[in-house]
Amino acid sequence: MRTVPRWRAAALLAAAASALLALAVARWAAVRYEAAFARRSAATTAAYLALVTPPAPLGADYSLQQLFIQTRSLDALPGWTPSVEVYHGTAPLLQPGAPPLSRLVLDRLRGQSGASWGRGVALAPLFDRDRWEVVGAVAIRPAGIAPGWLGGWTLPALALFAAAALGALRAVGGEWERVRRALRAYGAAGVLFGAAAYANVQQAARASTDQWLADARLLMQESSARLPQGRPTLADLAPLAGGAQVAPGDSATTRPTRQSVGGVPSAVVEVRLSSRRWVELRTAPAEAGAPPWLALLLALALIGPLAAWVAVWVEREAARPQRLRETAAAWWFLAPATLHLAVFSFAPILLAVYASVHRWSLVEPERPFVGLANFAQLVRDPVVWISLRNTALYTLTVPVTMVVALGAALALGRRSWAARLVRTAVFLPFASSVVAVALVWQWMYHTDFGAINWMLSLAGVGPVDWLGNPNTALIALMIVSLWVQAGYQMTVFLAGLQAIPRDYLDAARVDGAGAWRRFRTITLPLLKPVTLFVFVTGIISSFQVFTYVYVLTGGGPGHATDVVAHQLYQAAWTFLQFGSASALSLLLFVVLFGATWAQLRLLERRVTYD
Amino acid sequence: MTKAGERLAIGLALLATLAMVLPFLYMLATALTGEWEAFRYPPALIPARAHLENFPAALTALPFDRFFLNSAILATCVVVGQLFTSATAAYAFARLRFPGRDRLFLCFLSVLLVPALVLLVPRFLIVNALGWVDSYAGLISTELVSVWGIFLLRQFFRTIPRELEDAARLDGAGEWTIFRRVVLPLSKPALATLAVVAFVDQWKSFLWPLVIARSTEMQVVEVGLANLHGLYYANWPYQMAAAVTATVPLLLLYLVAQRYFVRGIEMTGVT
Amino acid sequence: MASVILRNLTKSFDGAARPALRELSLEVRDGEFLVLLGPSGCGKTTALRCIAGLDEATEGEIHIGERDVTRLPPAARDVAMVFQNYALYPHLTVRENIAFALEVRRVPRKEILRRVSEAAQRLGLAELLERRPAQLSGGQRQRVALGRAIVRAPQAFLFDEPLSNLEAPLRSELRSEILKLHRALGATMIYVTHDQVEAMTMGQRIALLYEGRLRQLGTPAEVYARPADVFVARFVGSPGMNVLHGRGRAVEEGGSVVECGSLTVPVPLEHYEGEIELGVRPEHVTLGATEKGVGNAEILIVEPHGAETLVHLDAGGQTLVARLPGLLELRVGDRVGVKLDKRHFHFFDASGARLA
Ligand SMILES: Nc1ncnc2c1ncn2[C@@H]1O[C@H](COP(=O)(O)OP(=O)(O)OP(=O)(O)O)[C@@H](O)[C@H]1O
Ligand SMILES: [Mg+2]
């Protein structure tokens, strides 16, 4: 086939693009972390200088000489890595020969609160003692945060990737088993390569947090050495900490560590201010936000193998253009549904998993990783257990409704107009508005003026506070559910009964079997798949009951009618805790998995037997 | 059957009919009662005078015209969307041969494994990220594909004789023409079933509109009804008047399209 | 109009153990009426669908006219096909059914009108144009299917057992109608059937297919008179040829005899030794008194047909059929003498291939 070289060339190009893109993105991400470190570090250094530099005799500006001394001494700090330059106004202090800062840049620094980044240098404004006027700038050029383009394991992984790519492309058009093996190796190499590239990003993220913590620690300790006794106070140190927390601490490690603080993973370092004064510096670890890069890098690294796979496939199919055409047509037809399912069904599942291990609220911008804390909190919450128990109790309506519905189906299966009328009536509740039904039942359940209590009073039973009494509220809801679902289930059963060949029943009748016997030995066994279907779908839908609870009781009284769906709704839209709502969703998924699995098997059977 | 048994059956059937229909009659009766007349004991099924004014009053207490419009827009758009996406996907699954077809179909079916409630929160987060909260886009977008619809139509398409498509293919028709001019016209009953089921589902849907629609102008009838319940807690005639109005379109649809209703349900459970 | 040439056409369905077609080579001449004949499941439909492009050939080539169409989609091959179950679009009227192909190909309206009414005239459908397929009888439906095919004036017509859903009288009527069409249009037609009466009466040539292979290609007379192998011999004719399994033995006075069951048949073969299949058509078998002829046989079944009588015989374990003129008084269980007309013997070797 003439098309082979073309596809092979395309796949080769894709491999190169895949590798380059992954490397570039990894590098870019690492540099972003480096920049984040430098910006933070510049701001901290500026705050440090503002704290320790004595003022000039007049005004709030600093003494130029002092500023120079303080800056010079930074380089002498043991463990200090970045290279610093301080501008007073626009003039560089340490290297007087260096070009001055442009006014424009300084003006721009005035307009913003944080530090800026450009050309490998972070610039933070240096405020005067009153923290009012910008009198200069601190420039930080970071070193050693981001690994190089091919640092870490990237180079060997890249070599492996390239070798696998060439191997796969050489195999194209050859023996199928070999091609498959080569493709698989290529895919594995892609994953490895993506992971290696990600390792660099992760390392840069970690290093940016650690390096800043270390530098901030140094500066805090240094400031405490330079300031008179009793200072710096925690308030003095706050500007140095930037967005991080400063808390009283105790002596522990002096290297940055990762700890869980109140369920939130944090990066922590202990700062010794004097022999008995320790503070703890805490910040969100940057690497907690890194995993999305993994997804991106893996996707990029897999472009190559994917392209090779397509090339192999097209090459194989080139001999069958008809099939190729049909496949292309099929994908056009499938595109709308597939894209929609990807975005609105599959992505949400992944997102639910992701959100469930984060503290995720719509109002807070921070979404820290919290591990299984959301789940732990759910399991410890008694209300969750109560709602689970209520939901389980509520599903007891399913078998009861089924008995009623099956009875109705058996009685109303006839072709007479009367039977049809009754069937229509029984189906009415299911065919009408859910909230309207809930409202009329609430009205009928009314303690003093409701129709139900009035009827009961005719029988001499005293007024029951149906929805207000914790003992009856759930039962009241279940009655509504039965009333609505009976019509639906009856219809399914009727269809199932109609599918039973009459001959079987007639044969049994000829054999002298009575009605009950016919039902037991013929109807019921043949109805089993339908019964199973009704049961399983009934369980699944009643586990998700929400509207009746929301309208009729709001989960009350107490938590007597609180169900899982209501809990979930409250967690997300009352308390805005989307992380824990996601965790609850997943919990529900797990609880229901058996039922849904059974449902899928039923469907599958219908798919394969048709 | 014996005479006595027959009588018993008739009695039970009457009782069942009564139990099913009475709440609706009660709803209608209360909707026509005066505000204070409702709190009468014993309750009266027939009000002294038909308080028809309850209807305009209840329906303007909240902008129900807008709610009905929203429900109609939601249901119609979803019906059109589901018909389109289900039919196209089902055609590919039923009639086109391509590698991985059966696996992909199972993958589609596996979406049914995920209860709707599980998807609620993450779907909301996605719609929120897209900036579609409190908009028609948010209300509609998540509902545009129904795996059940795809399944239903696929089963139906497979009953259409293959030769029809082959004949069309020889006649020079492309896949799209075959789909549009042969398969779709022959699938009208199945499409009608899907349309009716989707419409009713959307009209009755509550939780998703509840969380997506924030402003009053974006509410649908069901949520509006629940809100009315909160606002006019003690005014049962108003609530019942609104409830009657909300139910009428569905009951009308049911009475007109009962065949498709029933067939839709049968198809979920049996076939 | 064009010739249709198959070269080494092989078709394997995914997941099937055996290929449905194996190295089928066949040339259908321009304007020829060729019948593809074979038992159920032999691959006739598959061959037709491959020619039409509905199934993709696994190997081999297909040429229609000057063009290699092996990799072309059905629409580009310019052939028309008539299906066994008519495959009329149920939602369209007869007129729309016939016009569909022209509409899809964007033929101008006027032209469509003209060609549809012409086709309808030719097939006597003018009265039915506004009906739907459900309102037509089987014969009418098949006529509409024919109309749908001829309105396109395609390079070749493919028929897949178009008459097998019809009753016998209708069948012969439509048979002559199709032949009339063939003469009028001078078109290349490939006609699939498993009914050999159809094949013998309609085909200019017959291609015999068995288990995906071409067994014989020839005029009806050739296929009948000189079957290429045992399978063809047994399949063609009703009832098919008697094929007796026996051993050949040379005899002193020259020639050989074949011993099969209770029969010992002298045959005009020079010194043949070993296994042999001896074929003789039922009309070349006559009965006589015992011990006259080549041996005795027992009468198993007697089928009086009126003008002729079929007699099934058991000759020592070998069954054979005799076709005798007129109504005969024969009793089941009687022993009779068997005579074979040695001018009409066919010989096949043990593998079934024709000898000489
Ligand atoms: N789509 C398919 N997938 C797998 N095998 C198939 C397919 N279509 C046909 N076959 C097989 O190919 C062989 C030939 O089938 P084909 O339909 O061509 O036979 P036929 O000669 O037309 O028989 P009939 O006279 O019954 O119509 C059969 O063994 C059949 O089982
Ligand atoms: Mg066939």
Side-chain angles (χ1 to χ4, degrees):
Chain A
M1 290 286 134
R2 276 182 315 276
T3 51
V4 176
R6 222 175 61 208
W7 283 100
R8 202 177 284 176
L12 194 66
L13 258 175
S18 172
L20 281 178
L21 273 174
L23 284 176
V25 165
R27 173 71 191 163
W28 184 64
V31 168
R32 267 175 55 118
Y33 283 115
E34 195 171 63
F37 156 75
R39 287 211 307 266
R40 245 179 139 181
S41 195
T44 303
T45 310
Y48 165 77
L49 288 174
L51 182 64
V52 297
T53 313
L58 280 175
D61 200 351
Y62 306 101
S63 138
L64 201 59
Q65 194 187 359
Q66 282 292 334
L67 194 58
F68 180 72
I69 293 171
Q70 299 296 351
T71 312
R72 275 296 289 274
S73 63
L74 279 180
D75 273 339
L77 277 179
W80 178 260
T81 51
S83 70
V84 189
E85 175 64 291
V86 172
Y87 296 87
H88 188 252
T90 56
L93 278 186
L94 295 185
Q95 289 170 304
L101 212 57
S102 82
R103 280 237 76 90
L104 215 72
V105 172
L106 201 63
D107 284 345
R108 209 174 314 133
L109 276 181
R110 282 203 175 94
Q112 74 197 33
S113 52
S116 66
W117 170 263
R119 304 223 190 95
V121 176
L123 267 184
L126 179 63
F127 287 91
D128 64 10
R129 304 280 303 189
D130 300 342
R131 295 199 194 136
W132 180 252
E133 187 62 27
V134 173
V135 294
V138 175
I140 292 263
R141 186 183 294 277
I145 300 282
W149 278 79
L150 296 172
W153 287 100
T154 329
L155 191 59
L158 180 64
L160 195 69
F161 184 72
L166 290 179
L169 292 182
R170 189 124 22 88
V172 171
E175 187 196 335
W176 178 230
E177 198 43 47
R178 248 193 62 211
V179 174
R180 213 162 61 179
R181 228 174 314 130
L183 275 184
R184 233 179 258 157
Y186 191 11
V191 171
L192 271 181
F193 177 55
Y198 172 68
N200 279 356
V201 176
Q202 153 95 21
Q203 190 194 331
R206 213 182 153 91
S208 91
T209 305
D210 285 355
Q211 194 60 52
W212 178 77
L213 279 176
D215 289 354
R217 171 177 164 269
L218 280 179
L219 293 178
M220 285 180 178
Q221 293 187 352
E222 190 63 18
S223 67
S224 126
R226 279 161 195 262
L227 290 172
Q229 265 296 316
R231 296 196 61 196
T233 60
L234 286 188
D236 287 334
L237 291 178
L240 268 68
Q245 278 179 297
V246 185
D250 43 24
S251 77
T253 64
T254 52
R255 302 179 66 83
T257 56
R258 297 292 184 274
Q259 290 173 12
S260 166
V261 178
V264 182
S266 311
V268 176
V269 74
E270 304 294 332
V271 184
R272 180 179 181 276
L273 295 183
S274 66
S275 57
R276 284 185 309 282
R277 271 187 79 209
W278 293 79
V279 293
E280 193 173 83
L281 187 59
R282 295 177 195 149
T283 185
E287 70 269 18
W293 292 109
L294 177 61
L296 182 60
L297 288 171
L298 281 181
L300 289 176
L302 286 175
I303 290 179
L306 218 66
W309 184 74
V310 170
V312 165
W313 188 77
V314 168
E315 192 273 324
R316 239 159 56 97
E317 297 299 307
R320 305 159 85 176
Q322 199 97 311
R323 221 169 101 109
L324 214 58
R325 273 191 291 267
E326 215 167 319
T327 307
W331 279 106
W332 277 114
F333 276 96
L334 284 170
T338 312
L339 285 179
H340 186 277
L341 286 181
V343 175
F344 290 112
S345 293
F346 288 107
I349 296 169
L350 296 181
L351 184 60
V353 174
Y354 180 81
S356 70
V357 291
H358 287 79
R359 194 164 67 205
W360 188 315
S361 155
L362 285 191
V363 285
E364 292 171 35
E366 290 284 306
R367 285 162 194 164
F369 175 78
V370 295
L372 296 177
N374 284 327
F375 291 95
Q377 187 194 339
L378 284 182
V379 173
R380 279 198 301 268
D381 187 350
V383 177
V384 168
W385 287 104
I386 292 174
S387 73
L388 269 173
R389 189 206 60 189
N390 287 340
T391 311
L393 283 177
Y394 182 84
T395 57
L396 288 181
T397 37
V398 177
V400 179
T401 313
M402 280 172 72
V403 171
V404 174
L406 182 56
L410 287 169
L412 299 174
R414 274 168 277 174
R415 290 191 173 277
S416 71
W417 64 268
R420 267 198 33 206
L421 201 70
V422 180
R423 283 206 300 262
T424 306
V426 174
F427 193 78
L428 272 185
F430 187 77
S432 62
S433 151
V434 183
V435 179
V437 162
L439 288 184
V440 75
W441 276 91
Q442 183 154 33
W443 175 221
M444 291 196 302
Y445 278 138
H446 199 284
T447 321
D448 303 317
F449 305 102
I452 292 178
N453 275 348
W454 172 71
M455 277 193 270
L456 287 180
S457 73
L458 295 185
V461 180
V464 180
D465 186 2
W466 285 99
L467 296 171
N469 183 338
N471 295 325
T472 52
L474 193 60
I475 293 179
L477 288 184
M478 291 165 77
I479 291 174
V480 179
S481 163
L482 192 152
W483 184 71
V484 172
Q485 295 295 326
Y488 166 77
Q489 295 191 359
M490 176 195 70
T491 311
V492 181
F493 277 127
L494 274 171
L497 286 174
Q498 260 153 33
I500 295 177
R502 281 221 66 84
D503 306 357
Y504 291 8
L505 291 169
D506 288 343
R509 198 185 299 242
V510 170
D511 290 344
W516 172 244
R517 225 191 130 69
R518 286 202 301 274
F519 174 72
R520 271 260 333 273
T521 55
I522 295 170
T523 310
L524 213 48
L526 287 175
L527 214 52
K528 205 174 119 193
V530 176
T531 316
L532 207 63
F533 173 84
V534 171
F535 183 70
V536 168
T537 52
I539 296 279
I540 292 172
S541 70
S542 63
F543 242 90
Q544 305 179 59
V545 61
F546 176 77
T547 312
Y548 301 135
V549 174
Y550 181 86
V551 176
L552 284 173
T553 64
H559 287 284
T561 56
D562 216 340
V563 290
V564 175
H566 193 250
Q567 272 292 307
L568 199 147
Y569 173 77
Q570 286 210 314
W573 284 280
T574 307
F575 303 118
L576 298 177
Q577 296 300 331
F578 284 87
S580 82
S582 297
L584 189 55
S585 303
L586 293 180
L587 200 68
L588 177 76
F589 190 18
V590 171
V591 170
L592 271 185
F593 193 80
T596 48
W597 183 251
Q599 185 194 15
L600 188 71
R601 297 312 302 266
L602 282 173
L603 267 184
E604 221 184 307
R605 211 168 53 191
R606 275 158 62 188
V607 173
T608 44
Y609 285 176
D610 56 26
Chain B
M1 214 183 271
T2 61
K3 263 238 146 73
E6 202 144 295
R7 275 208 197 113
L8 187 76
I10 291 172
L12 276 176
L14 267 179
L15 207 68
T17 316
L18 222 58
M20 291 298 164
V21 176
L22 261 185
F24 287 104
L25 296 180
Y26 193 48
M27 188 196 292
L28 187 62
T30 310
L32 295 171
T33 323
E35 185 177 349
W36 298 111
E37 194 185 354
F39 295 114
R40 213 178 41 188
Y41 198 83
L45 245 189
I46 299 169
R49 168 175 86 77
H51 290 255
L52 282 174
E53 70 276 9
N54 284 341
F55 283 87
L59 297 182
T60 48
L62 285 176
F64 267 94
D65 47 351
R66 181 73 199 219
F67 299 167
F68 273 97
L69 180 69
N70 290 343
S71 282
I73 288 175
L74 167 64
T76 312
C77 289
V78 170
V79 165
V80 172
Q82 284 194 6
L83 284 180
F84 176 73
T85 57
S86 304
T88 49
Y91 179 71
F93 281 129
R95 277 299 188 250
L96 299 176
R97 286 159 293 187
F98 57 95
R101 177 176 77 177
D102 296 342
R103 238 173 303 158
L104 186 71
F105 187 58
L106 268 187
C107 187
F108 269 46
L109 281 189
S110 71
V111 172
L112 294 175
L113 260 176
V114 186
L117 192 56
V118 175
L119 291 176
L120 181 74
V121 167
R123 275 182 170 179
F124 177 82
L125 292 177
I126 286 177
V127 167
N128 185 46
L130 292 169
W132 289 352
V133 169
D134 203 26
S135 73
Y136 288 120
L139 215 50
I140 294 163
S141 59
T142 53
E143 308 299 315
L144 289 177
V145 167
S146 151
V147 173
W148 177 78
I150 293 173
F151 181 74
L152 175 98
L153 291 185
R154 171 183 176 267
Q155 302 293 83
F156 191 88
F157 289 168
R158 287 166 69 107
T159 62
I160 297 175
R162 240 209 147 86
E163 281 84 0
L164 283 185
E165 285 152 45
D166 289 338
R169 230 161 251 150
L170 286 170
D171 279 348
E175 295 301 336
W176 181 254
T177 312
I178 296 174
F179 173 70
R180 267 279 296 111
R181 301 196 46 187
V182 179
V183 173
L184 283 192
L186 290 176
S187 307
K188 276 187 199 140
L191 293 174
T193 304
L194 177 60
V196 167
V197 170
F199 190 92
V200 174
D201 266 3
Q202 289 310 314
W203 194 277
K204 284 164 69 172
S205 84
F206 181 76
L207 188 47
W208 183 246
L210 178 68
V211 303
I212 282 296
R214 307 265 106 190
S215 58
T216 311
E217 298 84 67
M218 288 308 302
Q219 307 291 357
V220 298
V221 174
E222 292 284 283
V223 178
L225 208 53
N227 289 344
L228 184 81
H229 172 61
L231 284 175
Y232 291 79
Y233 191 78
N235 193 332
W236 288 102
Y238 274 27
Q239 293 182 42
M240 290 301 112
V244 168
T245 321
T247 306
V248 162
L250 280 182
L251 289 190
L252 278 184
L253 181 65
Y254 170 54
L255 292 179
V256 172
Q258 189 172 7
R259 190 154 48 108
Y260 297 115
F261 250 87
V262 172
R263 200 215 301 250
I265 290 170
E266 286 173 359
M267 282 191 168
T268 49
V270 194
T271 330
Chain C
M1 305 307 125
S3 59
V4 176
I5 300 168
L6 310 183
R7 289 214 187 102
N8 294 324
L9 184 64
T10 299
K11 170 72 192 174
S12 321
F13 286 103
D14 293 335
R18 303 180 296 118
L21 289 179
R22 302 181 214 193
E23 312 222 324
L24 180 61
S25 295
L26 187 64
E27 180 172 349
V28 187
R29 297 178 199 127
D30 189 2
E32 186 179 21
F33 195 106
L34 180 108
V35 172
L36 266 180
L37 178 66
S40 189
C42 70
K44 307 181 294 287
T45 300
T46 307
L48 223 50
R49 289 175 60 89
C50 283
I51 296 171
L54 297 171
D55 281 333
E56 203 162 20
T58 311
E59 263 160 62
E61 288 172 22
I62 302 167
H63 293 256
I64 297 178
E66 305 295 301
R67 290 191 306 161
D68 179 352
V69 299
T70 319
R71 304 286 165 223
L72 292 185
R77 297 192 180 193
D78 199 14
V79 296
M81 187 155 168
V82 176
F83 297 85
Q84 179 177 354
N85 61 0
Y86 324 122
L88 300 179
Y89 310 120
H91 58 293
L92 301 181
T93 61
V94 169
R95 178 194 296 286
E96 290 163 339
N97 261 288
I98 297 176
F100 186 84
L102 303 179
E103 266 173 35
V104 167
R105 287 166 202 263
R106 306 239 155 75
V107 175
R109 273 223 164 276
K110 270 206 177 128
E111 172 83 1
I112 295 181
L113 267 176
R114 189 181 61 74
R115 279 162 75 173
V116 169
S117 59
E118 192 186 294
Q121 270 323 307
R122 198 188 276 277
L123 292 162
L125 292 169
E127 314 291 300
L128 310 174
L129 278 177
E130 303 312 323
R131 292 211 201 159
R132 292 196 188 244
Q135 301 162 318
L136 301 176
S137 71
Q140 289 169 332
R141 282 182 210 182
Q142 202 51 286
R143 255 175 240 258
V144 176
L146 284 176
R148 202 168 60 175
I150 64 173
V151 77
R152 281 173 44 197
Q155 300 266 12
F157 289 84
L158 309 175
F159 296 90
D160 190 3
E161 311 198 19
L163 308 182
S164 58
N165 279 8
L166 301 176
E167 287 159 21
L170 250 179
R171 223 188 275 186
S172 65
E173 185 191 321
L174 268 163
R175 220 149 54 195
S176 59
E177 191 132 355
I178 290 173
L179 286 177
K180 217 166 71 194
L181 267 182
H182 176 242
R183 275 196 301 276
L185 302 173
T188 313
M189 293 187 172
I190 304 178
Y191 188 102
V192 159
T193 182
H194 63 255
D195 176 348
Q196 48 167 305
V197 178
E198 255 174 38
M200 301 298 276
T201 53
M202 296 179 81
Q204 293 174 339
R205 284 194 301 163
I206 295 178
L208 255 144
L209 233 52
Y210 183 61
E211 291 191 333
R213 277 187 223 278
L214 180 66
R215 291 310 182 97
Q216 189 168 9
L217 176 66
T219 62
E222 279 167 8
V223 171
Y224 190 81
R226 281 183 66 80
D229 59 22
V230 171
F231 161 74
V232 177
R234 285 215 173 102
F235 188 75
V236 176
S238 58
M241 187 183 284
N242 299 304
V243 180
L244 304 170
H245 178 77
R247 281 198 80 78
R249 174 163 58 78
V251 289
E252 284 110 57
E253 50 275 30
S256 328
V257 296
V258 173
E259 289 175 344
C260 36
S262 56
L263 308 181
T264 307
V265 190
V267 294
L269 288 177
E270 288 304 322
H271 303 291
Y272 192 91
E273 297 277 350
E275 308 241 327
I276 192 167
E277 309 281 339
L278 170 62
V280 57
R281 293 216 173 264
E283 52 266 41
H284 302 133
V285 181
T286 45
L287 306 181
T290 45
E291 310 308 335
K292 297 272 177 68
V294 295
N296 298 335
E298 185 185 328
I299 297 178
L300 288 178
I301 302 168
V302 179
E303 284 181 51
H305 283 234
E308 63 190 28
T309 302
L310 296 183
V311 184
H312 295 249
L313 305 160
D314 174 10
Q318 306 251 7
T319 55
L320 70 166
V321 182
R323 167 184 272 152
L324 305 168
L327 283 172
L328 299 176
E329 290 287 320
L330 292 168
R331 273 218 314 271
V332 172
D334 283 356
R335 291 189 71 77
V336 290
V338 177
K339 288 186 199 158
L340 303 178
D341 185 344
K342 74 170 80 154
R343 287 165 306 171
H344 293 104
F345 281 168
H346 304 263
F347 301 102
F348 308 97
D349 65 17
S351 68
R354 187 177 186 91
L355 287 172

